[in-house]
Amino acid sequence: MKNAGIGCGVFVLVTLVLSVASAIMPNVITTDRIGSMCGLAFFISIPLFIIGHFIESYDRYKVPIWAVTWVLCIVLGFIFPSKSSNTEEKEDEGTKTASVENTDKKDAKKDAKKDDKKEASSNVKQQAPQRTLEEVMAELDGLVGLKEVKAEVHKLVASAKIAQARKEQGMKSVTMSYHCVFTGNPGTGKTTVARFMGEIYRNLGILESGHLIETDRSGLVGSYVGETAIKTNEIIDKALGGVLFIDEAYALATGGQNDYGSEAIATLLKRMEDDRDKLVVIVAGYSKEMKAFIDSNSGMKSRFTRYIHFPDYTPEELGDMFRMRAKKNQFELAPTLEAGLNKIMARATKHKDNQFGNGRYVRNLFEAAVERQAIRLSKEQNLTKEQLMTLTLEDVDEKLQSLDNEEVTVEQALKELDELIGMKNVKEEVRKIAEFVKIAKEREDAGMKNATLSYHCVFTGNPGTGKTTVARILAKIYKALGVLDKGHLVETDRSGLVAEYVGQTAVKSNKLIDEALGGVLFIDEAYTLVQGGTNDYGNEAIATLLKRMEDDRDRLIVIVAGYPEEMNKFIDANPGLQSRFTRYIYFPDYTNAELADMFRLYARKSHYVLSEEFDSNLVGCMQYLTKNRDKNFGNGRFARNLFEKAIEKQANRLTTLSERTPEMLKTLEIGDIGLVIKKKSNETK
């Protein structure tokens, strides 16, 4: 009976302890393992009570027995939780999974709706923020430059306010046209101001939303009959309630009578009438081209009566724009850059033409400066905040470290020409041109008349004979002698002049020619412009080129180049080409000795040397490698490619060696060009 009493007492004590533990432990242990512990303790205690009742020696060991029992219950409860607990956890996980899946489905639906909205407004460049008229005008007035533009916009706002006030008083007001023609060169702020105009019109109650839709010819004109009206109507529908901004609008009328651009214009004019209360159209482009565009159609002339001209930015304004971008992006200008910034801008605009980027030039200059700064600082360690924020003169342009560098003289350009390998007759012809132009300029300065001079050239010769290099030097000579303002070289071929569909070749050719104004337009493989037959668009490119050579004869020089036979046929194919291209320069293939000298020059510039065996046999190597040359032989390109393969093979050869000396690293062997010398016959193999 004694043991039974003790057992019952212990059982009651255990139950109380477990009850208290079950109340406390859930706050500590986050699973349902408590139930498992209690269940195990209850079932294990029953046999212990029975054993303790029949065994007298139980009292002697009861404390360690119960201690072991407690530990065992706790361990087993953690390792083997009850099935109900697992089930509940699984159910919880299932519930969570289902919840996540439902959430994912909801999110997917939301994302789908967002994507639909994005797709529906893919052409909307920027939704007009709901700002007041005062806020919009304040931001407009805060733009750099554009004094005349701002004045015109203020006039328009004042007129619209008065017209609205008269209408509210029941008085008649003059019908106003809010359509505009923006004229000016690229990057002068036309698109930015157009966006402001949308907000202004919304605040004045002229438009409902005031958003801006940007497009150009490609967004309006289709490639087959009937498509143009559909494309034009679709984009106009997107612009309803806002502003339709058509950049380079004159391109719609440059394709001739059979061009689909005229269909786009007709559709646009009809919609401007049908939706006159819901649509404002702003057309933009170069001044001369836009005037001709508007004057070409009486319907456009009656609808577009408001002109706003956007002048080029001054060097000081471009400098202010650069400073503003730097400040906005948390950069500071080093003292040397601050002092020389306006001088940099003055140099950039000295010979500008209508292709000069203005604001875009500043943006590109700033982004390039930030990139150069990053490259410069990447070599440093433990950078300070000041270093990370500072832009230097070197960051803006490595070539502008000294802002007082003199421009290239005729003598310097001719020296650069003389340093070229070979081309004896080419150098003589270029010197004749330089001397001829120099005397002509002196006669002109002395008030004497000169015969009409043609500086256009035909360069004939096989690939890699130096035609492009000489064209670049000739451009420098023309600039030094005052024939050209800029003296830069624009390289192109058929792909840069000829478009894929009707009406676009003239646009494409004119844009490229505009880039070359003040310099030289170099057309490689020009003969391909006449190889497509009478219906080929290449003939349109030639017609455009000939017209511009006449219209811009004082600021454009054209050099056409290609194989001798093909170029003769090209010039003979068109009387206009024959009359304009009267100066021919032939570029012969390089001799094997000249190719060897070119190889040595490439090696020297890259800090390599040739082994004695390689150097003494280099001419023979060239003779062996070029024995099957034809008109497609690469000449200088062959020498360059051979050198690049040689240094690659040298690197592969040296990687197999366990030790490499500095001498080995810089030395090229004859085997690096894949040849060996037969010792007995002393011939190249």
Side-chain angles (χ1 to χ4, degrees), residues 47-66:
L48 286 177
F49 282 129
I50 296 172
I51 293 169
H53 182 71
F54 292 101
I55 300 175
E56 293 183 1
S57 60
Y58 174 78
D59 288 344
R60 193 180 307 168
Y61 304 104
K62 63 183 178 183
V63 174
I65 289 173
W66 281 104

Side-chain angles (χ1 to χ4, degrees), residues 135-146 149-150 153-154 193 196 200:
E135 290 173 334
V136 177
M137 297 303 291
E139 185 172 350
L140 173 68
D141 291 336
L143 296 176
V144 174
L146 303 178
V149 174
K150 295 170 185 176
V153 175
H154 276 279
V193 174
F196 286 142
I200 290 168

Side-chain angles (χ1 to χ4, degrees), residues 32 99 179 249 391 407 415 436 511 565 619 643 653 672:
D32 289 334
S99 176
H179 309 299
L391 293 176
E407 296 182 350
K415 182 181 178 182
F436 175 71
K511 184 174 285 189
E565 184 178 349
V619 176
F643 170 72
R653 172 170 57 82
D672 294 329

